[in-house]
Amino acid sequence: MAASEENSALFPIFILTIMAIPIVPYTITKLCRAATKKSKSIHCQCSECSRSGKYHKSIFKRISNVSTCSNMTLLLLWVVMIILVYYIKTMSREIEIFDPFSILGLEPGAPESDIKKKYRRLSIQYHPDKNPDPEAHKYFVEYIAKAYQALTDPIARENYEKYGHPDGRQGFQMGIALPQFLLNIDGASGGILLLWIVGVCILLPLVVAVVYLSRSSKYTGNYVMHQTLSTYYYLMKPSLAPSKVMDVFIKAAEYMEIPVRRTDDEPLQKLFMLVRSELNLDLKNIKQEQAKFWKQHPALVKTELLVQAQLTREFAALSPSLQSDFRRILETAPRLLEELMKMAVIPRNAQGHGWLRPAIGVVELSQCIIQAVPLSARKTTGGSPEGIAPFLQLPHINETTIKKVARKKVRTFQELHDMDSQERAELLIQTGGLSSAEVQDIEMVLDMMPSLTLEVTCETEGEEGIQEGDIVTIHAWINVIRVNGLIGALPHAPYYPFQKEENYWFLLADSVSNNVWFSQKVSFMDEAAAVTAASKSIEESMEGSGANVKETSRAVAEAVEKVKGGSRLVLGKFQAPSEGNYNLTCYCLCDSWLGCDRRTNLKLKILKRTRAGTRGAVLADEGPIMDDGVEEDEDNEGEEYDDDYESEYSEDEEDDQNTKNKQQAANGTVNKHGNAAESSGSDEE
């Protein structure tokens, strides 16, 4: 009986331990994350972003952020733990170790005469003949008499001093820390104990395993359905135009699960009339095209119209029920577009190359969704390869303002961006008709926009040239510069209702053959992770080339300084193709900003595979070839690229003429600033 009471008393301690094991580390992790958040503002401060309320946290929003389901659950669990601690503390006072000296109120080692005197006094107070109280009787028998016996009987005292118990050595006992009513096997308690054991030991692990396996079988690590990846993989085509990427994007399984309500028919009809010009319908057969559009799956129709509502900024036409679906679509869009990008650049042929054209289309769609700019605005107009789309991402800028500014020979976004701030302000105020406050907002956004530079090298480690079949190492540094001095920042996106981090895609591609040789996602948000990745990559690269410890340490220190200065390292490998000259292009594409993409041209010369230990010679009349087989391309060779790519990512013709005869002095290094390309090589080739 005593053993069962002891086990029952240990049950709260058992529950407290089980709760504390996961809760304490989780709470510490959450507090550390909250403490390490940068206090520096990394989002846009313009009036449009402030009005969006996306970054402004009122007292109610702060309370709602704190009072999330996870936080409230965590708080409730901590309250339960505190109650258990208080209960255990109170219970520990009641359950005391048997100490006869303490029971009789004596000091340890008191003589027998003092023990007898104290026993007589307590007998007068607690003996049943003197005190009829049942509790006094119980206390006298179980404590006072037993303590007196333990101290006066020679054998009992010897047992107590040796084993801590008057009855001598106690046997080893094992028990279950469960409540007393569950330990009573008689009657219904036996069934309760059985249910407890079955539920905790069998059913609970089984339920957790089933839930985890069902979810993991349905979703990837990026919380995208496996069915979506399968659909994207099979619908992705090498000739997929940027305007057709939308048709693949909306077929995600996540969007097919969006509910279709009869009450949404009328608002969707009105929305269709507002965005009809963006749906690529044949105007000659508009009735047939409209009928064909509405015959699609209702979820596809709804998704495409809501995405077009974001692109055209037709938010007022959305009903309250459509607003929730609209936010759901936009919230999952970045994850789906990232997976769609991976499906575009995933190796598709024997050489392990992906497809360039659909990859560019995915990035363009991402830019338009984040900045709420129509895809039709990207069409080449007025000498601008990207159309008026980059202008529309600026606050207070519309098509009327763009037309007014174009009269002053400012037809491209780059021209407006490169102007002096005072000159730009005069142009926007006097010609564009904007106020000084609106111009100040535009300046804030321009200061927030990233300016990218690329520095790329390709080489075969430990060799002087690149032969067919070699494993080529691409080593690229991407540097971002902002006028406001930030490195990682959240883009200006007042019409996108969620916070979105900037991401960049580095692509090494052959635009003529539409092949992507190498791709990697780059982020400027986590500096610590970038330092770790760059240090590890440089160490492995230096060790592979046979460098000593001192040289490796110096290279790692230089890489760390570059990362802290706003650069990110892209390091990868690809297999050299067959012998020949390859005109490649390095793209750095931003998924959030329009007009910030950069590219640089490379000419990669692959030598013929010779016998073991020898390398093929390079003819002198083929132009100056770098040691590692990389020759820098000339800007006037940009005409070789496909017209579609040229219209999407074209270079300034004037800069091409100015830099036509410049040559690169570094060994196999291409350093590009902006869209202008430094050229080397010879036209004689």
Side-chain angles (χ1 to χ4, degrees):
M1 184 66 183
S4 64
E5 290 179 355
E6 183 179 357
N7 293 332
S8 179
L10 292 176
F11 178 71
I13 301 177
F14 171 74
I15 294 297
L16 179 63
T17 305
I18 296 299
M19 293 179 63
I21 289 174
I23 292 176
V24 172
Y26 177 75
T27 304
I28 294 175
T29 304
K30 201 159 190 176
L31 292 176
C32 291
R33 289 178 181 175
T36 55
K37 284 184 178 179
K38 295 182 179 180
S39 59
K40 186 177 181 181
S41 176
I42 59 172
H43 60 79
C44 183
Q45 304 289 336
C46 73
S47 60
E48 286 193 355
C49 287
S50 300
R51 282 198 304 269
S52 68
K54 184 166 50 175
Y55 308 112
H56 176 68
K57 293 184 179 180
S58 63
I59 184 64
F60 299 103
K61 285 192 174 182
R62 291 176 183 176
I63 293 175
S64 63
N65 289 339
V66 173
S67 61
T68 58
C69 182
S70 61
N71 290 344
M72 294 304 296
T73 303
L74 183 63
L75 180 62
L76 180 61
L77 291 175
W78 271 105
V79 170
V80 173
M81 289 178 60
I82 292 173
I83 294 174
L84 287 174
V85 170
Y86 177 77
Y87 176 76
I88 292 169
K89 186 177 180 181
T90 305
M91 181 185 63
S92 64
R93 296 175 183 174
E94 300 175 357
I95 303 176
E96 298 179 354
I97 299 174
F98 180 77
D99 185 1
F101 291 103
S102 176
I103 294 173
L104 296 178
L106 297 171
E107 294 294 330
E112 187 173 351
S113 59
D114 293 342
I115 295 173
K116 292 181 179 181
K117 290 179 182 179
K118 194 66 176 178
Y119 175 71
R120 292 191 192 99
R121 293 177 185 176
L122 294 175
S123 298
I124 296 173
Q125 183 178 356
Y126 292 100
H127 195 277
D129 296 339
K130 304 294 184 179
N131 191 340
D133 187 3
E135 292 294 330
H137 180 210
K138 180 179 179 182
Y139 182 73
F140 179 80
V141 173
E142 294 183 0
Y143 290 92
I144 297 176
K146 193 173 182 180
Y148 177 73
Q149 181 186 5
L151 296 178
T152 55
D153 186 88
I155 299 177
R157 183 159 186 170
E158 183 182 359
N159 290 335
Y160 170 73
E161 292 175 352
K162 186 179 293 187
Y163 304 111
H165 198 279
D167 296 333
R169 184 190 298 273
Q170 300 297 301
F172 180 73
Q173 294 181 352
M174 295 185 63
I176 304 174
L178 294 177
Q180 179 61 34
F181 73 92
L182 289 179
L183 296 175
N184 185 12
I185 307 300
D186 300 333
S189 299
I192 297 176
L193 178 60
L194 180 61
L195 291 176
W196 174 275
I197 295 175
V198 171
V200 173
C201 300
I202 300 177
L203 294 182
L204 182 59
L206 184 61
V207 170
V208 172
V210 169
V211 172
Y212 173 77
L213 292 176
S214 62
R215 183 173 180 82
S216 61
S217 63
K218 189 176 181 181
Y219 289 91
T220 65
N222 199 21
Y223 299 103
V224 175
M225 291 185 177
H226 289 289
Q227 185 180 351
T228 298
L229 298 185
S230 178
T231 302
Y232 283 173
Y233 182 84
Y234 288 107
L235 293 179
M236 186 63 64
K237 304 298 179 183
S239 59
L240 192 66
S243 59
K244 300 296 183 182
V245 173
M246 173 76 78
D247 298 336
V248 179
F249 168 68
I250 63 174
K251 290 182 173 61
E254 287 83 350
Y255 294 157
M256 299 299 290
E257 293 181 352
I258 293 179
V260 179
R261 314 174 191 88
R262 292 185 178 181
T263 55
D264 295 337
D265 292 343
E266 184 177 352
L268 289 177
Q269 288 283 354
K270 294 180 180 179
L271 182 60
F272 172 79
M273 299 304 297
L274 294 173
V275 303
R276 184 173 58 177
S277 59
E278 298 291 330
L279 296 176
N280 295 324
L281 302 179
D282 187 3
L283 298 179
K284 296 180 180 179
N285 302 316
I286 188 63
K287 292 185 178 180
Q288 297 179 0
E289 290 290 320
Q290 290 183 11
K292 183 179 179 181
F293 177 81
W294 288 103
K295 285 182 180 179
Q296 298 180 98
H297 192 283
L300 295 178
V301 173
K302 186 175 186 177
T303 301
E304 184 169 3
L305 290 178
L306 292 179
V307 173
Q308 291 295 345
Q310 167 69 7
L311 299 179
T312 56
R313 304 179 184 178
E314 296 290 349
F315 314 117
L318 301 180
S319 62
S321 60
L322 288 179
Q323 283 283 355
S324 61
D325 297 334
F326 175 73
R327 292 179 62 86
R328 178 178 174 182
I329 289 173
L330 293 185
E331 186 177 12
T332 57
R335 297 199 302 270
L336 297 178
L337 288 169
E338 180 179 345
E339 296 301 325
L340 188 58
M341 182 69 175
K342 293 177 181 178
M343 291 300 105
V345 299
I346 193 173
R348 298 278 186 159
N349 53 26
Q351 292 76 28
H353 296 163
W355 296 328
L356 176 63
R357 187 174 178 84
I360 293 177
V362 173
V363 175
E364 288 184 350
L365 179 59
S366 176
Q367 294 171 350
C368 290
I369 289 178
I370 300 301
Q371 296 295 339
V373 173
L375 289 171
S376 60
R378 303 188 70 105
K379 295 180 180 179
T380 303
T381 55
S384 176
E386 292 186 337
I388 63 174
F391 288 97
L392 295 178
Q393 70 184 337
L394 298 177
H396 316 297
I397 295 290
N398 51 33
E399 294 186 13
T400 304
T401 307
I402 297 172
K403 291 179 180 179
K404 292 179 180 179
V405 171
R407 297 171 187 170
K408 296 296 183 179
K409 307 300 181 181
V410 181
R411 295 185 175 87
T412 65
F413 179 77
Q414 193 64 36
E415 293 176 354
L416 180 68
H417 185 273
D418 294 340
M419 293 176 65
D420 181 74
S421 59
Q422 185 176 358
E423 182 183 0
R424 184 167 53 237
E426 293 177 357
L427 174 67
L428 295 175
I429 293 175
Q430 298 176 4
T431 305
L434 302 179
S435 64
S436 58
E438 292 173 339
V439 172
Q440 186 178 1
D441 285 342
I442 294 175
E443 292 295 331
M444 287 183 183
V445 175
L446 292 176
D447 292 347
M448 201 80 175
M449 291 188 67
S451 177
L452 303 174
T453 59
L454 299 177
E455 183 180 346
V456 186
T457 61
C458 288
E459 62 182 0
T460 300
E461 295 181 356
E463 302 292 346
E464 294 182 354
I466 301 178
Q467 293 187 0
E468 54 186 6
D470 284 350
I471 301 300
V472 183
T473 300
I474 180 170
H475 188 281
W477 281 101
I478 304 175
N479 185 53
V480 62
I481 300 174
R482 305 180 201 268
V483 179
N484 59 12
L486 293 176
I487 297 177
L490 301 178
H492 162 80
Y495 299 104
Y496 186 75
F498 305 97
Q499 295 189 21
K500 169 71 172 65
E501 295 182 357
E502 296 176 351
N503 289 309
Y504 300 84
W505 284 93
F506 177 83
L507 305 178
L508 177 65
D510 185 351
S511 57
V512 176
S513 62
N514 192 36
N515 289 331
V516 175
W517 292 26
F518 175 79
S519 64
Q520 183 172 323
K521 181 183 174 183
V522 183
S523 175
F524 286 84
M525 297 301 295
D526 194 346
E527 182 179 290
V531 168
T532 303
S535 302
K536 184 177 180 181
S537 300
I538 293 296
E539 286 180 1
E540 293 177 352
S541 178
M542 296 297 290
E543 290 175 0
S545 61
N548 56 38
V549 177
K550 188 176 181 180
E551 293 175 346
T552 302
S553 301
R554 187 185 305 112
V556 170
E558 292 176 357
V560 170
E561 289 298 322
K562 277 191 173 184
V563 171
K564 292 182 177 180
S567 298
R568 294 294 182 266
L569 175 64
V570 175
L571 192 64
K573 300 180 184 294
F574 62 90
Q575 188 174 14
S578 58
E579 176 189 9
N581 295 324
Y582 295 88
N583 296 321
L584 304 180
T585 306
C586 297
Y587 294 87
C588 186
L589 311 178
C590 180
D591 68 348
S592 303
W593 291 97
L594 289 156
C596 295
D597 301 332
R598 293 294 178 264
R599 78 171 189 178
T600 181
N601 301 328
L602 289 175
K603 181 178 288 185
L604 186 65
K605 182 150 188 159
I606 307 299
L607 306 177
K608 185 177 181 180
R609 172 64 68 182
T610 59
R611 293 181 180 179
T614 62
R615 290 284 182 178
V618 181
L619 299 179
D621 59 354
E622 290 184 344
I625 305 299
M626 305 303 177
D627 291 340
D628 59 0
V630 179
E631 181 180 3
E632 193 170 352
D633 197 4
E634 299 185 25
D635 288 333
N636 57 4
E637 291 179 356
E639 298 175 359
E640 297 177 3
Y641 294 103
D642 186 81
D643 293 340
D644 293 332
Y645 301 113
E646 189 66 28
S647 64
E648 294 165 358
Y649 298 94
S650 64
E651 300 179 344
D652 195 337
E653 296 179 358
E654 295 181 1
D655 291 341
D656 290 346
Q657 295 295 329
N658 294 334
T659 61
K660 185 174 181 181
N661 296 319
K662 293 182 180 179
Q663 293 187 353
Q664 179 77 18
N667 179 20
T669 302
V670 182
N671 193 348
K672 298 295 176 180
H673 299 272
N675 287 340
E678 298 178 10
S679 61
S680 67
S682 174
D683 290 335
E684 296 177 0
E685 180 177 347

